[in-house]
Amino acid sequence: MTTNLNRTFAAVQAASRELALLNDDTINQILNAVADAAIAKAPFILAENEKDLARMGPNDPKYDRLKLTEERLKGIAADTRNVATLPSPLGKILKETVRPNGMKLTKISVPFGVIGIIYEARPNVSFDVFSLCLKSGNACILKGGSDADCSNRAIISVIHEVLGSFNINPHIVELLPADREATAALLNAVGYVDLIIPRGSSNLINFVRNNAKIPVIETGAGICHTYFDEFGEVKKGADIIHNAKTRRVSVCNALDCVIVHEKRLVDLPKLCEKLKDSHVIIYADPQAYQALEGHYPAELLQSATNESFGTEFLDYKMAVKTVRSFEDALGHIQENSSKHSECIVTENKERAALFIKIVDAACVYTNVSTAFTDGAQFGLGAEIGISTQKLHARGPMGLEEITSYKWVIEGDGQTRW
């Protein structure tokens, strides 16, 4: 099987060179055609998605990520069209200078070449990755999980059909078998693949980081906090907490822990009021438990343990931590954060400015729901992932983050001795 996969890798690498010959107008036409096909082929895609859903229990936290609907396909198509409207990230002059000897140096943006994406039960990633990679001149190799294999194969077949109508090499996007051997081969595809981006659980990300022989950009787990400061406004805080927790519990920007200043414990029932409707289970520390007892459904209120903090729930579950000071809140975030998205709710501008300055995360919010950590919401079109590391890219990764650069040197016979 490894030999066959190497042939696939070589074919994708060869196809990546053909991408350099496509102009931006053609790329945009392809993207719009893929968006149209996502809608036109919705019955086929959804039927294949149902096969995947049938193998997963509805209570599985990954079920919502796996599920496609007509509305979600319309959203995916809209994101694809948005990418087509964005300016090309390629060929940008990042720096230009002429040296004393007359030699001209130009630093310009270029594709990575071939990008490998490893992801779990998220079939929307197949569309998102293709659109961003095509727009940025990259070929892509997709390695989805077995949970979403029928969905992913349906999506790639639709994309290949569109590419065929444009006489474009279909190897610019390939979907590998959904088994571990294919994962191992991709992580070891030195000389064929330029970059690996894992999207999924912390276990997946750790496995890729520990086993890849190719450069990796981590799109880490989202353990997200919202700190309700002693100067916070209750209605604003309640709306932010409700939205961040319940909009979509299975996504990485969902709220996992509310930190509340002890002076505002009296307001905790109001802050959590709307969570009742979604049957959110709250794991509260002793002070928070006492403040909520009698005001929050007993069957949904539990005592927190050490494991309640620093956990990405991906479910209708949330922890509450009481702190004595702003400094204690910062300490709790530093100890438990995955450096994804962190929020403060406060009307004190100095306190907000300190939070922004001190908190180490890819996205730091003041009085805004963490649900906005998303490439489309940031105006990037779709996103290829949310990087929680600091090298090369951080936060939602759009077109610019999946390009590199090269130096072009022009002269007239200069030599160096």
Side-chain angles (χ1 to χ4, degrees), residues 165-199:
S165 70
F166 283 85
N167 294 316
I168 302 298
N169 189 335
H171 292 302
I172 64 170
V173 53
E174 284 288 353
L175 178 66
L176 299 183
D179 56 40
R180 293 185 179 182
E181 187 177 348
T183 301
L186 181 57
L187 296 181
N188 287 276
V190 177
Y192 296 116
V193 179
D194 299 285
L195 176 68
I196 296 286
I197 301 175
R199 292 190 57 172

Side-chain angles (χ1 to χ4, degrees), residues 14-67:
S16 72
R17 294 192 289 270
E18 296 181 31
L19 277 175
L21 303 176
L22 294 183
N23 59 48
D24 200 44
D25 287 341
T26 301
I27 287 172
N28 293 338
Q29 289 175 27
I30 295 170
L31 290 173
N32 284 313
V34 167
D36 292 341
I39 303 302
K41 299 284 187 178
F44 166 59
I45 295 171
L46 294 178
E48 293 302 299
N49 182 241
E50 282 294 333
K51 295 177 183 178
D52 291 327
L53 291 171
R55 298 194 303 271
M56 182 182 290
N59 295 326
D60 191 310
K62 292 187 291 185
Y63 189 88
D64 182 61
R65 286 181 173 181
L66 174 61
K67 186 176 179 63

Side-chain angles (χ1 to χ4, degrees), residues 112 115 132-133 136 138 197 384 397-403:
F112 268 99
I115 297 179
L132 288 169
C133 283
S136 59
N138 292 291
I197 301 175
I384 205 159
M397 295 171 58
L399 293 172
E400 291 185 3
E401 287 75 24
I402 51 175
T403 62

Side-chain angles (χ1 to χ4, degrees), residues 2-310:
T2 302
T3 300
N4 291 334
L5 289 176
N6 283 340
R7 290 195 190 104
T8 299
F9 299 152
V12 175
Q13 185 183 56
S16 72
R17 294 192 289 270
E18 296 181 31
L19 277 175
L21 303 176
L22 294 183
N23 59 48
D24 200 44
D25 287 341
T26 301
I27 287 172
N28 293 338
Q29 289 175 27
I30 295 170
L31 290 173
N32 284 313
V34 167
D36 292 341
I39 303 302
K41 299 284 187 178
F44 166 59
I45 295 171
L46 294 178
E48 293 302 299
N49 182 241
E50 282 294 333
K51 295 177 183 178
D52 291 327
L53 291 171
R55 298 194 303 271
M56 182 182 290
N59 295 326
D60 191 310
K62 292 187 291 185
Y63 189 88
D64 182 61
R65 286 181 173 181
L66 174 61
K67 186 176 179 63
L68 293 174
T69 64
E70 286 191 12
E71 283 304 308
R72 288 185 179 181
L73 284 175
K74 288 178 182 177
I76 289 168
D79 286 344
T80 303
R81 292 190 180 98
N82 284 339
V83 173
T85 67
L86 297 174
S88 172
L90 302 176
K92 289 185 176 180
I93 297 176
L94 307 175
K95 188 174 182 179
E96 195 172 25
T97 185
V98 177
R99 302 300 297 153
N101 65 356
M103 195 169 61
K104 181 182 178 182
L105 277 66
T106 309
K107 184 181 180 182
I108 61 172
S109 58
V110 298
F112 268 99
V114 178
I115 297 179
I117 311 290
I118 302 176
Y119 54 112
E120 295 173 316
R122 309 179 185 193
N124 64 293
V125 172
S126 300
F127 277 117
D128 292 348
V129 167
F130 170 75
S131 61
L132 288 169
C133 283
L134 179 64
K135 184 73 177 184
S136 59
N138 292 291
C140 55
I141 300 174
L142 308 181
K143 171 56 184 69
S146 57
D147 289 338
D149 196 48
C150 293
S151 306
N152 290 332
R153 298 212 170 274
I155 290 167
I156 297 305
S157 71
V158 169
I159 292 173
H160 279 169
E161 186 175 328
V162 172
L163 292 176
S165 70
F166 283 85
N167 294 316
I168 302 298
N169 189 335
H171 292 302
I172 64 170
V173 53
E174 284 288 353
L175 178 66
L176 299 183
D179 56 40
R180 293 185 179 182
E181 187 177 348
T183 301
L186 181 57
L187 296 181
N188 287 276
V190 177
Y192 296 116
V193 179
D194 299 285
L195 176 68
I196 296 286
I197 301 175
R199 292 190 57 172
S201 66
S202 57
N203 287 338
L204 170 67
I205 292 157
N206 290 336
F207 178 82
V208 171
R209 182 179 61 240
N210 294 334
N211 291 278
K213 293 183 179 179
I214 295 164
V216 174
I217 294 180
E218 297 178 32
T219 59
I223 301 169
C224 303
H225 300 81
T226 292
Y227 168 50
F228 188 77
D229 184 48
E230 61 182 303
F231 304 107
E233 199 273 310
V234 175
K235 183 181 183 306
K236 191 179 295 182
D239 288 343
I240 288 171
I241 289 167
H242 177 253
N243 179 254
K245 178 66 262 181
T246 65
R247 176 189 165 271
R248 282 189 71 185
V249 297
S250 65
V251 293
C252 59
N253 58 31
L255 175 62
D256 294 296
C257 180
V258 169
I259 305 170
V260 60
H261 194 286
E262 64 178 7
K263 291 181 180 178
R264 304 304 299 273
L265 280 170
V266 66
D267 296 308
L268 189 59
K270 291 182 180 179
L271 292 174
C272 297
E273 177 72 25
K274 294 182 179 181
L275 300 177
K276 300 176 184 177
D277 297 336
S278 299
H279 305 286
V280 174
I281 297 172
I282 293 179
Y283 301 96
D285 69 8
Q287 288 174 277
Y289 191 101
Q290 185 176 1
L292 288 170
E293 194 172 20
H295 301 282
Y296 198 78
E299 68 274 14
L300 299 176
L301 182 61
Q302 299 186 24
S303 295
T305 65
N306 289 336
E307 289 71 32
S308 302
F309 304 108

Side-chain angles (χ1 to χ4, degrees), residues 320-336:
V320 179
K321 173 70 176 178
T322 307
V323 293
R324 300 182 63 182
S325 66
F326 174 66
E327 290 73 22
D328 286 347
L330 295 177
H332 184 81
I333 291 172
Q334 181 178 355
E335 182 178 349
N336 295 280

Side-chain angles (χ1 to χ4, degrees), residues 216-218 387-394 397:
V216 174
I217 294 180
E218 297 178 32
S387 171
T388 55
Q389 65 184 46
K390 299 180 183 180
L391 286 177
H392 180 69
R394 200 175 196 198
M397 295 171 58

